[in-house]
Amino acid sequence: MNLKQARSLDEQDRQSFAATHTPWDAPAAKISVQPTTSSSNNMNDLLATYSVNPSYIKAPQQYLDGNWEMVQGGEAEQRIYQSWESVISVPVPGSIHQGLVQAGILDDPSFGEHAAQAKQYSHQTWWYRCTFDIEDIAMCVSSRLIFEGVSPSCDVWLNGTRLGDHQGAFGGPIYDLGSLLQSTNTLIVQVHPAPLGNEWNIWESTVVFNCNYGWHYVNLPAVGIWRSVRIEAIPLVQIQHPFVQVNSTAQAKQGEIDLALTLASQQSAYKGVLYGEIVPDNFAGQSIKFQQFIQQDSYLSDPDHVSTYYTRDIHLQLTIPDAQLWSPLDMGEPYLYRLQLIFIPDSPAISEDSMIMHNRILIDQQEITFGLRYIEMKPLPSGQQADMYNWTLTVNDRAVFIKGSGWCTLDALMDFSRERYDHFLSLTAQQHTNFLRAWGGGIPETDDFYDLCDRKGIMVMQEWPTCWGSHARQPQDALEETVRLNTLRLRNHASLVMWCGGNETSTELDHPAIQMMGRYSIELDNTRPFHRTDPWGGSTHDHIVWNGWTPAYSFDYYANLDGIMLSEFGLASAPNLESVLRYMPAEEQQQWPPLPDKSFYHHLPAFDTRDELRILSEFADAFIICDRLEHFVIGTQLAQVTSLRHKMESARCHFPDEIGVVTYKLNDVYIGVSWATIDWYGVPKMSHYFTQDAYQPLLASVLFNKLNSPHEDQSLPVYVLDDQGVLDQSWSVGIRVYDQQLQVIQAENWQQEGKVPSVHLIGTIELQQAPLAESPLLIVSEIMQGNEVKCRTFYWLNFADRQGVLWNLPQTSLTVGQPQVSKVSLLDSSVDFPYEIEVKNTGTLPAVGVELYSQSDDVEQSILVASDNFFWLDAGESRWIDITDHRSLHVKAWNSYTGQAYSQSQ
């Protein structure tokens, strides 16, 4: 059989899912648009744009977020009808643990061994109570109570009436309230305990994020009302789930969009006008408006609620003039549009008094943001194959190399603030990481996460919350609700490029739960691919750290890893020393090796159940004698960089045969030694900055087969990687090889004119065998244009048999200048780096691994991020570096510990 003509797994899966419809099946009506000077931020502006009768008002909604009351335990009879004692204030959204910490009942669970104390509260029953006045009497007539997320399960009462129960953390419950609302109301929620049992699988009894159940890092199951709660009045006609798509790149470029939505009403017949406006959201451009007359074709359904609704599916086609496309990070701008919709029923059709309050007619408004982009998975150069997915990700007909990282749930205590997301995702963009795998140990990510990814151009593969075949054992109704609600919630996001059934499932891949996920990916979306699990169909994971191999062998193994799509691999490292000291009690900080079963072990991966401390100490020993905490930090961070970067660069150099790499991982659910490149506090590790090097759009990359073989000749390919096509006219690539005395022992230079392909083999470096003391230690690669260094990075090799050599280099000296307000921030106060500072190598030898760092006493408020760090400075060279903070700023290098400090505290 000719494999190139075989049906791909994508095609086979699509047939097996047996979808019965898509959102785009309703007959399409092509409508015209008109330019408008309005840039409406609310519905009143939109109503004025169309001169709509002022008696029509938006159906009001009221958020119940804020501080609720909470008590532990008790029976329903007591909690519903009797007074509460020993009440604790708890934030909603939030977790019980946040309330307990704020009340002084629970010590900070991230410190020392406190998580073990906090865990006992996860397995208790908690009652929440909110007393509120209705802000608009219209909600007393016909309204709906919506919980966006309660973990792990709950029962709900309003004004003494039980509304029902609910299982699953990711959406719901939702209740139509009928006439239950009064002017003053009491809402009570019984939040049930997290399941207790074997941490490896007890979470399978429900649908939650499971990486905080002890198998991964912390054993602290999340409990609480963790997303918003609101009440919304039900309008006469509801606009449900508006969805925008483009059918091809050509249509995207022309601005030709399809808009699907559902109108729902408790009236069997009505007519009216759907009004809409599309406004450029994050750029200046032309706004447009449109309208479409609609007459109800009544048929019965039950979309999301217990009441009966008559629905009609609407499919419109229209054209946005001068369309601007959404592009991934480093490939263009992530342009977004904002769509606002309202439906105005004709007055004669209004027969329900319940929809009219004081001569006001309640109407619905919906608003979404979207980007014009077309996603397609195309075959590899080797052709389509029956046992593989099509893996070449194209966005707007342009193949994208996936510069990926795993995304872990942000916080075990469920602090999912937008500010916290923005910090981590800004660092993601700084790394040039254009793809996040939101993995099945975590959550269907929040609206803030996706909105920020949309705006930063970061693509996402969203896995459903299942691991290792748990989909076959989790409650199927809760899992299906999770998939359905969150598909509808997330499908408009331009950054979402792929669905996936879950993490590392090797059995029951044809189980009805997986089939359901695949079917919904078509019936509710049909604009992006679905993969049954990861790894599967050509992707691979690699975890050799537990194979017992020596670090030297492992480093070579990582450097030579191949695969079409390596979507999980890595090595753990300690956070920066300042972060470790934040979670370690003072009496344990000087103890090395650390005391078993104490704080350090409590913050190791899986609590050292896989001998991680011994393994990571051996990796650290390849670089420095691991005889103290500081050396463990330095050694493990160097080992992590060495394990990650070579594969990341190698995969880029073999594009398009290898289409991507996803490191494990970017962030973590809890503070500790982990695979993350940014620790839980939000502090970048060394690996953050070398990821930035490996993924930068312009790079001269040197590939290695062996990192510790001085007695062998080596031929090292040198590639130019130019993702953005910026090289033109005259430029050059320079390679310098240094020995341990920081003397140049070999150099190559290639002159080039004009443009080259995005992946270009420019030459090779031939290293000759040599005695260890004379062998190469450091290699610098750079691209020059004129006198400007366009990019530079450096590598280390032949280090394993001369332990500590990187810390015993000949010394140089460094200075830092006076911090200045950055030129960019003078124009835009929202920039990530408000300051800039000059760093100068004043010595006669190169400075290796130059690092800016802070010794501020206010470590919780002062996280120093630099635009570059751990960089190379030639003798006499200086660089301007952008920074986030200049308080107590210091500089050092691997061969300079006497650098000048700028210590102004303001």
Side-chain angles (χ1 to χ4, degrees):
M1 181 176 66
N2 184 351
L3 292 180
K4 292 188 178 182
Q5 301 303 316
R7 295 171 67 235
S8 69
L9 271 185
D10 307 84
E11 296 171 293
Q12 297 172 57
D13 281 353
R14 186 176 180 88
Q15 181 176 353
S16 76
F17 295 146
T20 61
H21 59 275
T22 78
W24 316 103
D25 290 349
K30 292 188 176 182
I31 60 175
S32 60
V33 301
Q34 296 177 297
T36 176
T37 57
S38 167
S39 56
S40 303
N41 291 315
N42 59 66
M43 191 178 70
N44 289 333
D45 291 340
L46 189 56
L47 291 173
T49 299
Y50 287 98
S51 303
V52 174
N53 187 324
S55 64
Y56 291 98
I57 66 161
K58 177 186 175 182
Q61 63 178 11
Q62 180 175 341
Y63 277 85
L64 303 182
D65 297 353
N67 289 320
W68 290 32
E69 297 174 296
M70 182 177 76
V71 293
Q72 188 272 320
E75 299 299 322
E77 183 75 17
Q78 173 190 5
R79 294 306 180 200
I80 302 305
Y81 301 109
Q82 299 177 22
S83 61
W84 289 13
E85 297 179 354
S86 302
V87 170
I88 302 164
S89 178
V90 62
V92 173
S95 69
I96 61 164
H97 299 100
Q98 289 175 302
L100 292 167
V101 169
Q102 292 172 11
I105 296 170
L106 177 63
D107 294 325
D108 178 6
S110 70
F111 183 80
E113 302 172 70
H114 293 171
Q117 172 198 7
K119 181 180 184 297
Q120 63 180 315
Y121 296 104
S122 296
H123 303 295
Q124 298 174 357
T125 297
W126 294 92
W127 293 83
Y128 282 63
R129 183 171 65 188
C130 176
T131 301
F132 62 96
D133 293 333
I134 283 297
E135 297 173 352
D136 193 311
I137 195 171
M139 288 189 284
C140 294
V141 178
S142 181
S143 59
R144 183 178 298 129
L145 173 64
I146 299 172
F147 291 83
E148 295 181 7
V150 183
S151 180
S153 58
C154 65
D155 282 74
V156 181
W157 288 261
L158 178 65
N159 297 329
T161 297
R162 184 176 183 273
L163 300 181
D165 57 27
H166 184 266
Q167 180 171 223
F170 304 119
I174 301 172
Y175 301 111
D176 280 0
L177 298 180
S179 59
L180 284 177
L181 274 181
Q182 304 167 10
S183 58
T184 299
N185 303 271
T186 300
L187 177 61
I188 294 177
V189 181
Q190 180 187 20
V191 179
H192 298 297
L196 179 63
N198 182 343
E199 285 84 2
W200 283 91
N201 56 28
I202 188 61
W203 50 268
E204 294 178 356
S205 63
T206 184
V207 180
V208 292
F209 69 94
N210 60 69
C211 58
N212 56 336
Y213 271 77
W215 62 264
H216 195 256
Y217 287 103
V218 68
N219 192 353
L220 184 56
V223 174
I225 304 175
W226 71 283
R227 301 307 294 153
S228 290
V229 183
R230 70 182 186 274
I231 295 173
E232 56 186 31
I234 299 175
L236 175 68
V237 179
Q238 301 167 54
I239 304 170
Q240 295 182 341
H241 314 306
F243 184 22
V244 171
Q245 74 148 358
V246 294
N247 288 312
S248 67
T249 299
Q251 288 191 358
K253 290 179 178 179
Q254 293 299 317
E256 298 173 2
I257 67 169
D258 284 65
L259 168 62
L261 57 92
T262 298
L263 297 178
S265 177
Q266 291 178 314
Q267 292 193 24
S268 61
Y270 60 84
K271 59 183 178 179
V273 179
L274 179 72
Y275 295 95
E277 185 176 68
I278 296 176
V279 180
D281 182 81
N282 59 352
F283 67 99
Q286 178 65 61
S287 299
I288 59 171
K289 63 181 181 178
F290 60 89
Q291 63 187 67
Q292 176 71 5
F293 176 77
I294 292 170
Q295 176 134 3
Q296 165 68 1
D297 295 328
S298 60
Y299 58 90
L300 201 57
S301 75
D302 187 13
D304 287 321
H305 320 295
V306 296
S307 301
T308 297
Y309 286 84
Y310 296 90
T311 67
R312 179 177 176 184
D313 292 331
I314 305 297
H315 182 184
L316 305 177
Q317 293 178 331
L318 57 124
T319 299
I320 300 172
D322 190 25
Q324 302 298 309
L325 302 187
W326 183 93
S327 297
L329 179 70
D330 293 333
M331 294 183 66
E333 296 299 324
Y335 291 124
L336 296 170
Y337 290 89
R338 186 172 70 254
L339 166 68
Q340 293 186 84
L341 296 167
I342 57 174
F343 183 79
I344 306 297
D346 277 2
S347 296
I350 300 172
S351 60
E352 290 280 344
D353 293 338
S354 62
M355 304 299 173
I356 307 175
M357 290 297 303
H358 303 289
N359 296 318
R360 300 181 306 165
I361 303 168
L362 303 186
I363 59 176
D364 200 5
Q365 177 202 20
Q366 293 293 319
E367 180 175 300
I368 61 171
T369 56
F370 66 93
L372 296 176
R373 61 100 180 97
Y374 183 66
I375 298 294
E376 190 175 6
M377 302 297 284
K378 294 184 178 181
L380 295 165
S382 57
Q384 195 158 275
Q385 300 187 27
D387 59 348
M388 288 177 52
Y389 292 119
N390 288 334
W391 274 106
T392 303
L393 172 63
T394 64
V395 181
N396 304 328
D397 272 350
R398 183 176 174 185
V400 181
F401 180 84
I402 292 172
K403 304 175 185 177
S405 190
W407 175 265
C408 187
T409 295
L410 200 59
D411 183 37
L413 301 181
M414 300 196 289
D415 176 4
F416 298 127
S417 67
R418 186 176 178 90
E419 294 74 20
R420 188 166 168 81
Y421 273 118
D422 191 35
H423 175 78
F424 280 88
L425 292 172
S426 293
L427 290 175
T428 304
Q430 183 190 343
Q431 286 184 3
H432 304 288
T433 293
N434 65 12
F435 182 96
L436 293 174
R437 177 183 169 230
W439 123 116
I443 66 175
E445 269 297 344
T446 66
D447 295 331
D448 280 332
F449 169 86
Y450 273 102
D451 182 66
L452 289 165
C453 286
D454 288 347
R455 296 176 187 281
K456 298 176 189 297
I458 300 168
M459 300 177 292
V460 183
M461 177 174 76
Q462 178 66 67
E463 295 185 2
W464 296 118
T466 74
C467 290
W468 314 307
S470 66
H471 63 275
R473 299 177 292 277
Q474 291 172 274
Q476 298 298 290
D477 55 347
L479 188 58
E480 180 169 356
E481 180 188 51
T482 295
V483 174
R484 180 174 58 84
L485 290 180
N486 288 282
T487 300
L488 292 170
R489 178 175 65 88
L490 298 175
R491 64 186 183 177
N492 277 298
H493 286 285
S495 57
L496 177 58
V497 299
M498 187 184 301
W499 302 109
C500 182
N503 176 57
E504 295 179 347
T505 290
S506 58
T507 61
E508 300 197 74
L509 283 170
D510 57 353
H511 186 276
I514 296 290
Q515 295 297 108
M516 171 271 295
M517 297 173 188
R519 186 177 73 255
Y520 276 150
S521 75
I522 299 170
E523 293 180 348
L524 302 180
D525 184 350
N526 202 40
T527 67
R528 45 180 66 86
F530 171 83
H531 289 181
R532 291 179 183 267
T533 187
D534 195 83
W536 187 248
S539 60
T540 53
H541 291 183
D542 194 280
H543 306 116
I544 67 159
V545 66
W546 293 309
N547 289 358
W549 297 342
T550 65
Y553 179 87
S554 297
F555 292 141
D556 289 349
Y557 176 87
Y558 281 122
N560 289 280
L561 270 173
D562 58 12
I564 296 163
M565 173 64 165
L566 181 60
S567 52
E568 182 172 306
F569 82 107
L571 184 71
S573 73
N576 294 353
L577 182 62
E578 295 78 10
S579 291
V580 177
L581 297 181
R582 282 181 66 176
Y583 65 76
M584 289 280 287
E587 63 273 16
E588 296 181 38
Q589 292 178 5
Q590 302 304 316
Q591 179 70 43
W592 196 267
L595 297 173
D597 302 322
K598 298 299 287 183
S599 298
F600 194 84
Y601 279 81
H602 192 80
H603 293 260
L604 282 171
F607 309 99
D608 202 43
T609 56
R610 290 184 139 181
D611 207 17
E612 282 85 359
L613 183 59
R614 179 192 61 79
I615 293 170
L616 294 176
S617 295
E618 290 180 359
F619 275 89
D621 271 331
F623 297 95
I624 195 167
I625 298 173
C626 193
D627 59 355
R628 67 192 74 169
L629 175 59
E630 182 178 6
H631 285 184
F632 180 83
V633 170
I634 293 169
T636 56
Q637 290 204 8
L638 271 168
Q640 184 184 40
V641 170
T642 307
S643 300
L644 292 177
R645 68 175 309 186
H646 296 290
K647 173 56 191 173
M648 296 160 75
E649 293 186 26
S650 172
R652 289 187 67 188
C653 294
H654 290 98
F655 181 70
D657 296 304
E658 296 184 31
I659 60 88
V661 63
V662 180
T663 63
Y664 189 74
K665 56 192 167 176
L666 185 123
N667 66 314
D668 226 323
V669 72
Y670 187 69
I671 186 60
V673 177
S674 88
W675 287 270
T677 58
I678 305 164
D679 74 27
W680 179 77
Y681 296 128
V683 178
K685 298 183 188 179
M686 187 189 299
S687 54
H688 164 78
Y689 292 102
F690 280 98
T691 296
Q692 178 177 297
D693 275 7
Y695 281 166
Q696 61 186 311
L698 182 64
L699 174 66
S701 176
V702 182
L703 299 189
F704 298 80
N705 288 322
K706 295 182 178 181
L707 296 177
N708 288 286
S709 299
H711 304 302
E712 299 180 25
D713 294 344
Q714 288 199 67
S715 181
L716 308 181
V718 180
Y719 285 83
V720 172
L721 304 172
D722 185 7
D723 294 345
Q724 298 172 330
V726 298
L727 291 177
D728 201 357
Q729 300 180 346
S730 297
W731 52 275
S732 64
V733 174
I735 304 293
R736 287 170 279 152
V737 184
Y738 290 80
D739 64 13
Q740 66 186 35
Q741 298 303 316
L742 292 181
Q743 299 301 308
V744 176
I745 57 176
Q746 189 173 343
E748 297 286 349
N749 190 274
W750 294 275
Q751 298 291 327
Q752 188 79 30
E753 293 287 334
K755 293 186 175 296
V756 293
S758 60
V759 178
H760 176 63
L761 176 64
I762 199 165
T764 58
I765 291 288
E766 302 296 335
L767 297 184
Q768 305 300 314
Q769 59 179 308
L772 181 62
E774 301 171 13
S775 65
L777 176 65
L778 295 158
I779 296 180
V780 176
S781 72
E782 60 189 13
I783 298 177
M784 301 285 296
Q785 196 157 33
N787 294 322
E788 181 184 0
V789 178
K790 303 297 289 186
C791 66
R792 177 192 286 160
T793 192
F794 71 98
Y795 307 88
W796 47 91
L797 68 163
N798 300 325
F799 51 84
D801 290 332
R802 37 183 172 175
Q803 186 185 50
V805 66
L806 293 174
W807 308 103
N808 288 287
L809 299 169
Q811 292 287 294
T812 190
S813 57
L814 298 167
T815 61
V816 290
Q818 183 85 5
Q820 299 182 12
V821 176
S822 72
K823 301 177 182 63
V824 177
S825 68
L826 290 172
L827 301 174
D828 182 0
S829 61
S830 67
V831 297
D832 293 332
F833 299 102
Y835 307 103
E836 59 184 8
I837 195 164
E838 186 180 31
V839 182
K840 186 171 184 177
N841 179 0
T842 57
T844 58
L845 292 171
V848 183
V850 178
E851 178 188 3
L852 289 163
Y853 65 103
S854 173
Q855 289 188 335
S856 171
D857 293 332
D858 190 8
V859 293
E860 294 187 16
Q861 299 299 321
S862 175
I863 295 177
L864 175 65
V865 180
S867 59
D868 196 7
N869 230 349
F870 301 98
F871 52 88
W872 181 284
L873 274 182
D874 286 332
E877 185 181 19
S878 63
R879 277 189 66 187
W880 283 92
I881 302 296
D882 298 326
I883 53 175
T884 56
D885 197 349
H886 60 75
R887 289 175 292 179
S888 299
L889 187 68
H890 291 65
V891 65
K892 63 182 178 182
W894 297 353
N895 61 329
S896 177
Y897 287 89
T898 58
Q900 177 186 0
Y902 178 81
S903 57
Q904 182 175 332
S905 59
Q906 62 193 27

